Amino acid sequence: MKKGFLGFLAAVMILAVAVPGFADECTYRGILDTMYCDNDKNLVADNALPGNCKDPSTLVFTYTPVEDPAVYQDLFADFQAHIKKITGKDVIYYTVHSNSAQVEAMRSGRLHIAGYSTGPTGFAVNLAGYVPIAVKGDAEAFQGYNLIVLVKKDSPIQTMADLKGKKVAHTSPSSNSGNLAPRALFPAQGIVPDEDYTVVYSGKHDQSVLGVVHGDYDAAPVASDVYERMLRAGRVDEGAVRIIYTSPRFPTSSFGYSSQLCPDLVEKIKEAFYTYRYTDEMKKAFDGADRFFPITYQKDWAVIRDIAEATGASYNEEGLKAMIAKEKADAEKKAKKQ
């Protein structure tokens, strides 16, 4: 009996460690994982309370998975030194090779500070207790992009309603601004892709733009930053096309911290983000952004959540499994090409 009781007690103790804030009253959780609470209803996990929080001797940081992680590990070295200066803790870079692995790393407590891509940010918030606080930007605004709809300059199309019966280039089925966002946002404009107009996949944003210029497509929804880069590079003549629709601004990758860190440490991490100014190398790599611009998940990720909901994507365990399956399929496809 004594042995059984001790086993039960050990299980309770493990659960208390594994589930942050388990002993605290949770009056509201929303769609967050059961490990977290959202009593203030701001859509992100509440900060762990003193006595039930983590204060690691070394902070672990990473940026969204890229093909060459070493590039960004070097790029963020100066920022990591700044975090160390503010917090007094060593900071190491943790390389991840997939979005799902990055979410799991924070969920398991191995990752403390991170930059997540736009879409995976929602998974990290709901499943890993991630709190986004910043996006790359400048003194005026955060760095982001809009979904824009382009038509040829002399096209008779003037409004979204005029797209009915036309041939419109989307980029690829998985593209946010090139396909998912149009399907989520256009119905409110009175136009439904595949019903009111014919969808043709171009493959890439720049191919959609050039297809409109050359008359292959009547219109195309594309990311504004891609179009602007094409203008700067001279790949598209100024005035060759017109914009008939502009969406709310989409944020780029978010930056933030684990809600399970101790409150005093969290404040120092926030200070590190908001007082840091990018190196020249970072400015070049991040299209002129020079700082971390403050944001909130509740407000600034609203359009992303709306798109996810409208397209059937769920920032939960099932949605994460779907993302893992897609990552695996993409990796296998890439391996076959090599």
Side-chain angles (χ1 to χ4, degrees):
M1 177 68 73
K2 182 177 180 182
K3 184 177 179 181
F5 174 76
L6 290 175
F8 171 77
L9 182 61
V12 171
M13 290 178 68
I14 291 172
L15 184 61
V17 172
V19 182
F22 185 82
D24 302 317
E25 184 180 2
C26 186
T27 60
Y28 183 78
R29 181 169 286 118
I31 58 175
L32 299 183
D33 187 85
T34 54
M35 292 174 66
Y36 313 104
C37 283
D38 182 21
N39 289 332
D40 58 6
K41 298 184 179 181
N42 65 352
L43 305 186
V44 297
D46 298 335
N47 286 334
L49 299 175
N52 194 34
C53 58
K54 297 178 181 179
D55 188 22
S57 58
T58 298
L59 294 172
V60 181
F61 168 80
T62 195
Y63 185 54
T64 181
V66 291
E67 288 193 4
D68 188 359
V71 172
Y72 286 99
Q73 183 173 351
D74 293 341
L75 200 64
F76 282 106
D78 186 70
F79 175 55
Q80 290 178 210
H82 184 70
I83 297 176
K84 179 177 181 179
K85 179 181 178 182
I86 300 296
T87 64
K89 297 178 179 292
D90 288 333
V91 183
I92 61 173
Y93 193 92
Y94 177 66
T95 299
V96 291
H97 298 284
S98 70
N99 291 309
S100 56
Q102 188 181 17
V103 172
E104 179 54 34
M106 183 166 286
R107 180 183 173 90
S108 65
R110 302 193 309 273
L111 179 63
H112 309 122
I113 308 170
Y116 285 91
S117 293
T118 303
T121 288
F123 288 108
V125 167
N126 289 353
L127 300 177
Y130 170 60
V131 182
I133 61 170
V135 174
K136 299 184 293 289
D138 55 32
E140 302 300 324
F142 68 74
Q143 189 182 74
Y145 63 96
N146 304 87
L147 162 64
I148 57 175
V149 177
L150 301 176
V151 298
K152 203 169 183 178
K153 65 175 182 179
D154 56 357
S155 170
I157 299 172
Q158 300 295 325
T159 68
M160 292 292 286
D162 295 334
L163 294 179
K164 290 186 177 181
K166 305 299 183 182
K167 183 169 67 172
V168 179
H170 287 205
T171 56
S172 64
S174 62
S175 172
N176 178 55
S177 53
N179 183 55
L180 301 180
R183 293 183 183 279
L185 302 179
F186 286 3
Q189 305 298 316
I191 198 83
V192 179
D194 276 329
E195 292 184 16
D196 294 321
Y197 66 71
T198 301
V199 172
V200 180
Y201 290 112
S202 69
K204 297 180 180 180
H205 288 272
D206 55 352
Q207 290 173 184
S208 287
V209 175
L210 295 175
V212 171
V213 172
H214 296 143
D216 299 326
Y217 314 118
D218 297 306
V222 298
S224 62
D225 56 343
V226 175
Y227 173 59
E228 289 161 4
R229 283 198 296 270
M230 292 178 73
L231 286 176
R232 291 196 298 268
R235 296 184 62 196
V236 180
D237 291 336
E238 189 78 41
V241 295
R242 288 184 289 107
I243 299 173
I244 64 167
Y245 170 81
T246 302
S247 75
R249 196 158 181 78
F250 302 147
T252 56
S253 52
S254 67
F255 291 83
Y257 59 87
S258 167
S259 61
Q260 301 314 298
L261 297 177
C262 289
D264 289 347
L265 177 56
V266 164
E267 291 307 310
K268 291 179 181 178
I269 290 171
K270 289 180 179 179
E271 179 184 349
F273 270 108
Y274 298 147
T275 59
Y276 184 70
R277 295 297 176 264
Y278 290 3
T279 62
D280 289 340
E281 291 77 14
M282 292 177 72
K283 291 177 186 177
K284 183 178 180 180
F286 296 135
D287 296 325
D290 66 359
R291 69 193 67 197
F292 294 106
F293 189 89
I295 56 92
T296 67
Y297 180 73
Q298 186 171 33
K299 175 186 176 184
D300 298 299
W301 245 257
V303 64
I304 303 300
R305 295 195 304 273
D306 288 346
I307 292 169
E309 181 177 350
T311 54
S314 299
Y315 292 134
N316 54 23
E317 290 283 2
E318 289 303 314
L320 184 64
K321 289 178 182 177
M323 184 170 73
I324 292 172
K326 182 180 183 303
E327 288 175 338
K328 182 179 179 181
D330 290 345
E332 291 174 348
K333 187 184 297 184
K334 182 179 179 180
K336 287 180 181 180
K337 289 183 179 180
Q338 292 178 340

